[in-house]
């Protein structure tokens, strides 16, 4: 395509104009007059971030395999272009055709983190589509949301016509068929929304009314339209082996954050960490056949020319054929001079051996997602990693020549005490001391141990969805306490501690468990100039604070408040296949510090077996 | 064995910066499955080097890079294989095998020529394109052309006249042949700036569209010849 939506004058004054020109290798161009449905797929962040995301590549490929559909991409314009587009009233456009989004049938927006919500508004607004779904008319695109944050879509429900709850592979074809049928029959926008509402997994927020008790909690959540289902079933692709996978992913010109071939070997996780939303919503765990993965690896490298390949899953160490797959990749990628980027693996003899063969150990570091500093707290969160396993793994690595260790921790976990917090520096100190037990002549210099902590945010559909979240002051006090703890250690010069920003975490906490009353707040923050909140340099805390104050929203109601298990939660209308009873049971066990076995050890009856496949049925034929 | 690849970069790809062009070709060589040589170590790199970086917004039909190869087929086979994996706007024009002892493309570059077009609506003070073109001859006949050359660290006044090897009107465009390379690198924009100063109008970056025609090296007789002259077709 020679056509560009932006003039030379504009492209020459913005940073990285290649973000806006399309034309990348494997991007799909169709004849607009020969398709019935034009779909704009959006990741509401800058191009380099959005292009790194596997989910869009999967759906882009799947949609474009459909003859009557043309799926294109759109990302958030960077603030420099954003300002120009507003000033000159230039409508936001799709990369492939450079046509305005407002002329499309669908605008699909993936919701990967809460802090993208003002960017969602930016994309809709720059597209010149009314921000509120209720104000859209027949000619406006249908705005549809999906991705992890759609498991509690309520804070942004007012801005979307539809949400697709679950994995995108299942009912899009039905949705498109309904759209065509409605169009052929001369139906209006509302007629289509009603047809869509009848499709499993599709949630139409306008078809529901919410009422509240005097204390602010939800009193009722009811359909106001006969097509509004009482429960929305999460969509899961159970024939995971044969689900379409993009053999020709789009290759960006610009260096994307993840600039490589990604093999999705597994979806879901058997571990059941109690803080982890992904571990719950992607149940049951499903694997792809190793022979298929080998074929994909070769084909995708040939089709993209990428110089790196990596594996995608929530816990690659649990993939049964991992040794066979890594052996194959080391051999075949070695021939092709393609790097292998290993996802975080459990540290054991196998992974150390693999790492040694694919990385320079002088430069690489070991990573432990310990999450908590003491065994007691690791039991509370059901993180099946013991101090012994950490020390063993680290010692093997030290003996193998590694000197750099990275730890990830969370601060602010339920039931956390000062002892748990002090456990963070003490665990790091213990590893440093272990290192110096190695005779001097066998060591390769000094050890370096880096611990970083994020602040804990309770998420919907986890056993901690009822838990109290710390305040910003508590978070910072705890982080300083941990930092002081590091100063007291004997080997403090070998230890480094970093912690994330607490202000963004609080925002994330509000939206993660928020309800429909937050929409006006988000709208005001956006109107007053907030975009790119996930980027700390652009985050305007004062504007947000003002927006909460103006709408008399009590932040503590959404964050600090511990919920009763009796309360109606904003996301209760979604059925993820994991039962509320299971989550309550897990919440109780957490408080007692009891560990629950992983899905391969024994079934804990979460409910996901109802999907009829995956790990729940392995070895049971 | 070293080969030299000539390519054209046109259309919307003018917005691709030099680093991204390099990354693009590394991936393209893999897609074409050419047997390029790699450096040693944990993250091996293709042994390719580019001739003269092209500024953002400029199109060209005379771009070059060299590649060290483990094995080659024929010029036309390799060209076809690469062209089969190009995006619109990138096109492989020629491939030659470099002769023993040939300088690298980067070291060999001595000059480039350009066609510069005044965009409509710009330079109205001197009568747009026509008025601008009318002043070319007089401008070129000067003994010296002083312009301000701004680098990252300093500003210097520079006489660019010795580095302009040719300058004339060509069918409504401005043709210029300029010194290029690591020593005396003169960009067409700098000449345009000098020209605007000469005509007494303010220079605007957006006033012109620049297109590079060819990149040259000097042969044994010190004549400017195409970078392709350092090698031969592989038949």
């Amino acid at each position: 395509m020679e056509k560009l939506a932006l003039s030379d004058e504009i492209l020459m004054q913005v940073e990285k104009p290649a973000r806006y020109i399309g034309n990348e290798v494997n991007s799909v161009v169709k004849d607009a007059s020969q398709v019935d449905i034009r779909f704009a797929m959006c990741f509401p962040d800058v191009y380099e971030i959005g292009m790194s995301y596997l989910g869009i590549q999967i759906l882009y490929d799947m949609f474009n395999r459909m003859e009557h559909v043309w799926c294109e991409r759109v990302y958030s314009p960077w603030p420099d272009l954003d300002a120009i587009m507003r000033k000159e009233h230039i409508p936001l456009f799709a990369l492939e055709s450079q046509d305005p989004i407002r002329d499309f049938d669908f605008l699909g927006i993936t919701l990967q983190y809460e802090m993208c919500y003002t960017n969602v508004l930016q994309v809709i607004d720059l597209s010149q589509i009314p921000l509120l779904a209720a104000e859209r008319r027949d000619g406006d695109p249908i705005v549809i949301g999906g991705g992890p944050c759609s498991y509690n879509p309520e804070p942004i429900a007012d801005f979307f016509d539809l949400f697709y709850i679950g994995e995108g592979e299942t009912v899009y074809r039905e949705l498109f068929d309904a759209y065509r049928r409605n169009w052929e029959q001369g139906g209006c926008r509302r007629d289509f929304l009603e047809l869509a509402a009848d499709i499993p997994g599709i949630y139409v927020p306008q078809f529901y009314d919410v009422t509240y008790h005097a204390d602010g909690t939800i009193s009722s959540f009811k359909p106001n339209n006969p097509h509004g289902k009482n429960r929305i079933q999460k969509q899961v692709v159970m024939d995971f082996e044969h689900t379409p996978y993009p053999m020709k992913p789009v290759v960006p010109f610009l260096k994307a954050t993840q600039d490589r071939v990604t093999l999705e070997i597994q979806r879901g996780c058997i571990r059941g960490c109690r803080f982890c939303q992904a571990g719950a919503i992607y149940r049951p765990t499903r694997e792809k056949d190793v022979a298929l993965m080998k074929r994909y690896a070769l084909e995708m490298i040939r089709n993209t020319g990428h110089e790196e390949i990596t594996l995608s899953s929530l816990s690659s160490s649990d993939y049964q054929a991992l040794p066979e797959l890594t052996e194959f990749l080391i051999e075949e990628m070695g021939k092709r001079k393609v790097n292998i980027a290993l996802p975080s693996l459990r540290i054991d003899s196998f992974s150390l051996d693999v790492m040694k063969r694919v990385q320079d150990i002088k430069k690489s570091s070991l990573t432990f997602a310990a999450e908590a500093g003491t065994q007691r707290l690791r039991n509370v969160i059901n993180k099946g990693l013991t101090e012994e396993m950490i020390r063993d793994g680290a010692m093997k690595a030290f003996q193998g020549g590694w000197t750099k260790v990275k730890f990830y921790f969370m601060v602010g976990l339920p039931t956390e005490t000062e002892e748990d917090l002090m456990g963070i520096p003490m665990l790091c100190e213990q590893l440093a001391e272990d290192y110096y037990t190695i005779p001097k002549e066998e060591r390769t210099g000094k050890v370096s141990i880096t611990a970083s902590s994020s602040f804990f945010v309770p998420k919907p559909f986890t056993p901690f969805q009822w838990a109290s979240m710390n305040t910003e002051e508590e978070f910072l006090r705890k982080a300083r306490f941990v930092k002081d703890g590091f100063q007291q250690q004997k080997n403090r010069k070998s230890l480094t501690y970093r912690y994330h920003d607490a202000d963004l975490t609080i925002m994330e906490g509000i939206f993660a468990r928020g309800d429909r009353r937050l929409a006006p707040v988000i709208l005001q923050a956006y109107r007053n100039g907030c975009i790119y909140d996930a980027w700390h340099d652009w985050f305007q805390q004062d504007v947000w604070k003002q927006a909460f104050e103006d709408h008399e929203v009590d932040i503590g109601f959404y964050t600090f408040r511990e919920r009763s298990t009796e309360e109606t939660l904003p996301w209760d209308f979604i059925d993820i296949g994991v039962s509320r009873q299971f989550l309550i049971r897990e919440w109780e066990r957490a408080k007692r510090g009891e560990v629950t076995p992983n899905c391969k050890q024994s079934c804990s009856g979460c409910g996901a077996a109802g999907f009829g496949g995956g790990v729940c049925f392995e070895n049971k034929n | 064995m070293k080969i030299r690849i000539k390519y054209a970069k046109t259309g919307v790809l003018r917005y691709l910066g030099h680093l991204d062009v390099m990354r693009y070709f590394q991936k393209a060589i893999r897609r074409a499955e050419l047997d390029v040589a790699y450096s040693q170590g944990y993250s091996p790199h293709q042994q390719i080097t580019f001739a003269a970086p092209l500024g953002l917004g400029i199109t060209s039909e005379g771009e070059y890079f060299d590649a060290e190869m483990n094995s080659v087929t024929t010029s036309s086979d390799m060209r076809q294989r690469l062209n089969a994996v190009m995006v619109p706007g990138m096109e492989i024009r020629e491939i030659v095998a470099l002769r023993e002892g040939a300088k690298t493309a980067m070291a060999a570059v001595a000059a480039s020529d350009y066609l510069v077009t005044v965009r409509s609506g710009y330079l109205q003070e001197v009568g747009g394109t026509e008025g601008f073109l009318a002043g070319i001859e007089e401008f070129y006949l000067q003994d010296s052309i002083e312009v301000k050359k701004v680098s990252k660290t300093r500003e210097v006044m520079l006489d660019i006249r010795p580095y302009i090897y040719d300058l004339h009107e060509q069918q409504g465009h401005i043709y210029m042949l300029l010194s290029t390379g690591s020593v005396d690198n003169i960009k067409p924009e700098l000449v345009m700036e000098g020209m605007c100063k000469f005509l007494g109008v303010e220079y605007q970056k957006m006033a012109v569209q620049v297109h590079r025609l060819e990149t040259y090296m000097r042969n044994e007789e010190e004549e400017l010849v195409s970078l392709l002259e350092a090698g031969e077709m592989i038949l």
Side-chain angles (χ1 to χ4, degrees):
Chain A
M1 284 256 171
E2 277 289 296
K3 188 175 134 193
L4 290 174
L6 301 170
S7 67
D8 288 329
E9 280 83 352
I10 292 172
L11 285 164
M12 285 306 283
Q13 54 176 294
V14 298
E15 203 183 295
K16 301 191 188 176
R19 285 168 175 161
Y20 312 111
I21 64 171
N23 274 274
E24 304 97 320
V25 171
N26 298 335
S27 59
V28 177
V29 174
K30 293 190 178 183
D31 179 349
S33 68
Q34 299 299 311
V35 298
D36 299 333
I37 292 174
R38 297 193 63 182
F39 195 109
M41 182 68 83
C42 173
F43 191 111
D45 206 313
V46 75
Y47 178 87
E48 297 93 305
I49 301 281
M51 276 303 292
S52 305
Y53 173 55
L54 174 65
I56 284 187
Q57 298 265 18
I58 292 177
L59 293 182
Y60 181 83
D61 168 72
M62 196 179 93
F63 291 178
N64 281 322
R65 289 185 198 201
M66 301 179 198
E67 206 182 327
H68 61 283
V69 180
W70 184 10
C71 177
E72 306 183 44
R73 293 157 301 136
V74 57
Y75 302 97
S76 284
W78 191 243
D80 58 353
L81 179 60
D82 176 278
I84 295 170
M85 292 178 82
R86 279 170 208 276
K87 191 163 147 248
E88 302 191 11
H89 305 287
I90 300 167
L92 186 60
F93 53 92
L95 291 180
E96 282 79 353
S97 64
Q98 302 273 313
D99 288 338
I101 304 292
R102 63 175 182 217
D103 298 337
F104 279 55
D105 299 291
F106 288 91
L107 168 59
I109 305 178
T110 183
L111 305 163
Q112 296 293 313
Y113 28 83
E114 291 81 2
M115 298 316 292
C116 75
Y117 291 169
T118 55
N119 279 48
V120 168
L121 296 185
Q122 176 210 25
V123 166
I124 299 175
D125 199 16
L126 289 180
S127 298
Q128 303 176 355
I129 299 168
L131 288 174
L132 296 172
E135 289 174 6
R136 292 184 196 134
R137 298 289 165 256
D138 280 351
D140 293 318
I142 302 290
V143 181
I144 179 165
C149 293
S150 63
Y151 286 90
N152 176 22
E154 292 303 275
I156 46 172
D158 288 356
F159 312 126
F160 284 84
D161 297 295
L162 307 173
F163 285 97
Y164 184 121
I165 312 294
E167 298 172 355
E169 286 104 335
T170 62
V171 297
Y172 263 116
R173 192 178 284 274
E174 274 176 71
L175 188 69
F176 294 155
D177 286 347
Y179 185 81
R180 282 208 296 187
R181 206 163 57 239
N182 186 58
W183 189 78
E184 281 159 14
Q185 292 165 355
C188 66
R189 187 178 191 89
R190 194 173 178 85
D191 295 329
F192 169 66
L193 294 181
E194 291 185 349
L195 287 174
D198 290 337
I199 298 172
I202 300 294
Y203 166 52
V204 183
Q206 288 174 63
F207 292 170
Y208 299 82
D209 290 322
V210 191
T211 59
Y212 301 91
H213 293 296
D215 67 1
T217 59
I218 292 174
S219 117
S220 74
F221 183 98
K222 282 200 194 102
N224 59 27
N225 181 302
H227 295 271
K229 301 177 283 279
N230 283 319
R231 299 272 283 168
I232 309 288
Q233 298 288 335
K234 165 189 91 169
Q235 293 302 295
V236 195
V237 47
M238 288 315 295
D239 189 7
F240 189 53
E241 188 90 343
H242 298 104
T243 181
Y245 198 72
M247 287 302 104
K248 290 183 155 194
V250 181
V251 182
F253 291 122
L254 290 173
K255 190 162 172 49
T257 313
Q258 309 274 334
D259 181 36
R260 55 203 186 184
V261 164
T262 304
L263 285 181
E264 190 189 23
I265 54 174
Q266 185 171 253
R267 205 176 280 179
C269 180
I270 59 168
R271 299 272 149 187
C273 297
R274 291 177 180 132
F275 55 83
C276 179
Q277 189 189 41
I281 62 181
Y282 292 109
R283 283 184 178 222
T285 305
R286 289 142 291 158
E287 288 196 345
K288 278 188 183 162
D289 179 57
V290 66
L292 191 68
M293 294 298 95
K294 292 177 186 174
R295 189 162 66 71
Y296 283 5
L298 297 181
E299 197 170 336
M300 290 174 77
I301 287 291
R302 190 162 51 236
N303 289 340
T304 59
H306 278 310
E307 41 279 292
E308 192 167 276
I309 189 164
T310 192
L311 309 177
S312 165
S313 82
L314 292 170
S315 172
S316 301
S317 291
D318 294 323
Y319 181 64
Q320 298 183 59
L322 187 68
E324 184 183 340
L325 183 59
T326 47
E327 215 41 60
F328 173 84
L329 291 177
I330 289 170
E331 169 84 20
E332 292 298 325
M333 296 301 126
K335 278 188 217 161
R336 292 166 177 76
K337 311 287 178 191
V338 172
N339 298 325
I340 301 169
L342 291 172
S344 46
L345 295 174
R346 206 179 315 128
I347 305 298
D348 55 24
S349 328
F350 163 74
S351 60
L352 288 172
D353 172 61
V354 170
M355 277 158 43
K356 216 170 195 166
R357 290 160 69 194
V358 303
Q359 316 171 328
D360 184 353
I361 54 173
K362 284 196 204 80
K363 287 181 192 152
S364 67
S365 57
L366 296 179
T367 306
F368 290 101
E371 313 297 1
T374 59
Q375 197 53 50
R376 187 200 72 81
L377 194 53
R378 278 194 295 275
N379 290 348
V380 167
I381 62 176
N382 206 40
K383 181 84 196 177
L385 187 66
T386 63
E387 182 169 337
E388 200 186 343
M389 285 155 79
I390 295 169
R391 289 180 62 188
D392 254 23
M395 203 57 188
K396 282 200 185 88
F398 293 152
Q399 283 156 351
W402 272 274
T403 55
K404 293 194 194 86
V405 177
K406 267 195 240 166
F407 272 111
Y408 292 122
F409 292 102
M410 275 187 284
V411 164
L413 287 164
T415 79
E416 183 182 70
T417 63
E418 288 201 342
E419 196 187 332
D420 296 315
L421 292 170
M422 197 45 89
I424 294 173
M426 282 168 67
L427 181 62
C428 295
E429 168 68 19
Q430 183 61 57
L431 251 56
E433 286 177 16
D434 287 352
Y435 178 80
Y436 290 111
T437 61
I438 300 174
K440 204 171 183 176
E441 53 282 8
E442 290 168 34
R443 300 200 297 250
T444 41
K446 279 186 170 170
V447 71
S448 151
I449 298 170
T450 306
S452 45
S453 69
S454 58
F455 296 113
F456 172 65
V457 178
K459 295 273 166 126
F461 296 109
T462 66
F464 293 158
Q465 64 177 355
W466 294 282
S468 162
M469 180 173 151
N470 286 172
T471 62
E472 188 170 345
E473 295 70 33
E474 279 174 301
F475 277 144
L476 293 174
R477 183 183 57 75
K478 288 178 174 184
R480 285 188 207 107
F481 179 77
V482 173
K483 197 154 183 81
D484 287 345
F486 273 90
Q487 291 311 316
Q488 296 159 23
Q489 306 304 319
K490 202 169 75 196
N491 287 296
R492 60 185 171 274
K493 283 188 178 152
S494 303
L495 313 178
T496 314
Y497 173 63
R498 294 195 192 93
Y499 55 92
H500 286 202
D501 302 301
D503 46 2
L504 279 177
T505 308
I506 296 295
M507 298 288 298
E508 204 187 317
I510 298 167
F511 296 128
R513 294 189 292 172
D515 56 38
R516 289 192 175 188
R517 290 168 296 183
L518 294 175
V521 180
I522 300 169
L523 193 57
Q524 182 184 324
Y526 169 72
R527 294 251 190 247
N528 289 338
C530 289
I531 47 168
Y532 281 98
D533 296 308
W535 295 65
H536 208 261
D537 288 353
W538 293 99
F539 177 58
Q540 303 179 59
Q541 194 177 21
D542 48 337
V543 179
W544 275 108
K545 262 200 177 126
Q546 191 61 50
F548 283 113
E549 270 169 38
D550 291 353
H551 291 275
E552 294 175 352
V553 169
D554 171 16
I555 291 173
F557 176 82
Y558 295 103
T559 55
F560 185 64
R561 184 174 65 91
E562 179 171 338
R563 280 76 163 162
S564 133
T565 52
E566 305 295 312
E567 182 177 332
T568 301
L569 302 171
W571 53 91
D572 274 351
F573 67 95
I574 295 172
D575 177 5
I576 67 157
V578 171
S579 71
R580 190 187 181 92
Q581 290 74 15
F582 172 76
L583 294 177
I584 293 174
R585 211 153 68 221
E586 281 293 287
W587 178 217
E588 296 304 325
R589 289 174 73 92
K591 287 192 262 193
R592 295 195 299 267
E594 284 173 29
V595 170
T596 296
N598 74 47
C599 300
K600 287 197 175 167
Q601 290 168 328
S602 75
C603 176
S604 300
C606 73
F611 291 109
V615 65
C616 318
F617 291 85
E618 263 169 30
N619 312 321
K620 280 189 187 164
N621 295 328
Chain B
M1 176 194 268
K2 261 207 170 92
I3 60 172
R4 178 159 294 169
I5 295 156
K6 179 182 184 180
Y7 66 94
K9 178 189 178 215
T10 57
V12 302
L13 295 194
R14 65 186 179 278
Y15 291 111
L16 220 54
H18 185 60
L19 285 175
D20 296 321
V21 169
M22 286 165 47
R23 283 170 17 84
Y24 168 82
F25 275 109
Q26 284 161 16
K27 291 182 198 282
I29 288 169
R30 283 176 188 285
R31 289 194 298 272
E33 301 190 314
L34 298 189
D35 190 13
V36 69
Y38 285 84
S39 65
Q40 299 297 309
Y42 276 97
S43 47
H45 288 286
Q46 291 176 2
Q47 298 188 22
I48 59 176
T49 53
F50 283 73
L54 197 64
L56 211 60
I58 302 179
T59 53
S60 171
E61 54 196 286
E63 295 302 290
Y64 292 89
F65 68 91
D66 293 349
E68 180 75 42
M69 304 296 288
N70 291 325
S71 69
V72 295
T73 56
T74 63
S75 291
S76 75
D77 174 65
M78 291 190 287
R79 192 185 68 227
Q80 281 166 18
R81 273 159 65 182
L82 277 170
N83 276 331
V85 299
M86 289 292 115
V87 293
M90 282 289 195
E91 189 199 341
I92 306 298
R93 292 285 171 90
E94 305 275 355
I95 298 180
V96 294
L98 289 182
R99 275 185 290 273
E100 204 53 38
K103 281 192 204 168
T104 65
M106 195 191 282
V109 173
S112 320
D113 55 0
Y114 303 89
L115 267 192
V116 178
T117 311
V118 177
R119 289 176 201 264
S120 63
Y122 283 93
L123 302 174
Q124 293 300 322
E125 311 92 307
V126 292
T129 308
E130 273 177 41
F132 199 75
L133 291 174
I136 284 185
E137 205 177 329
E138 205 183 330
F139 170 71
Y140 187 47
L141 286 173
Q142 296 177 97
D143 293 331
S144 76
I145 299 171
E146 293 268 316
V147 291
K148 204 189 287 168
K149 194 173 180 182
V150 188
S151 75
K152 274 179 195 137
T153 47
R154 62 204 180 110
E155 276 185 18
V156 283
M157 287 309 285
L158 180 72
D159 178 10
I160 59 170
R161 181 60 190 83
Y163 309 115
I164 306 176
Y165 303 144
D166 192 3
L167 183 74
H168 62 262
E169 191 256 316
Q170 187 174 308
Q171 293 168 331
H173 307 279
I174 306 148
Y175 172 89
M176 50 179 86
L177 177 63
L178 309 174
S179 171
T180 309
S182 46
V183 190
D184 300 306
N185 195 45
I186 303 299
K187 292 180 179 171
E189 292 89 334
L190 206 60
V191 179
M192 292 309 296
E193 215 178 315
M195 179 91 187
C196 286
K197 194 175 138 198
F198 177 74
L199 292 174
V201 289
E202 197 198 337
Y203 171 69
Q204 287 170 283
K205 207 169 96 181
M206 289 311 300
V208 292
Q209 171 66 48
V210 181
H211 177 71
R212 185 187 267 169
L213 295 164
E214 180 59 287
T215 312
Y216 300 94
M217 61 176 200
R218 291 200 186 272
N219 64 10
E220 282 168 16
E221 286 77 39
E222 290 294 306
E223 298 157 339
L224 289 175
V225 293
S226 152
L227 279 177
L228 283 175
E229 299 287 316
E232 275 136 30
M233 296 273 283
I234 315 168
L235 299 169

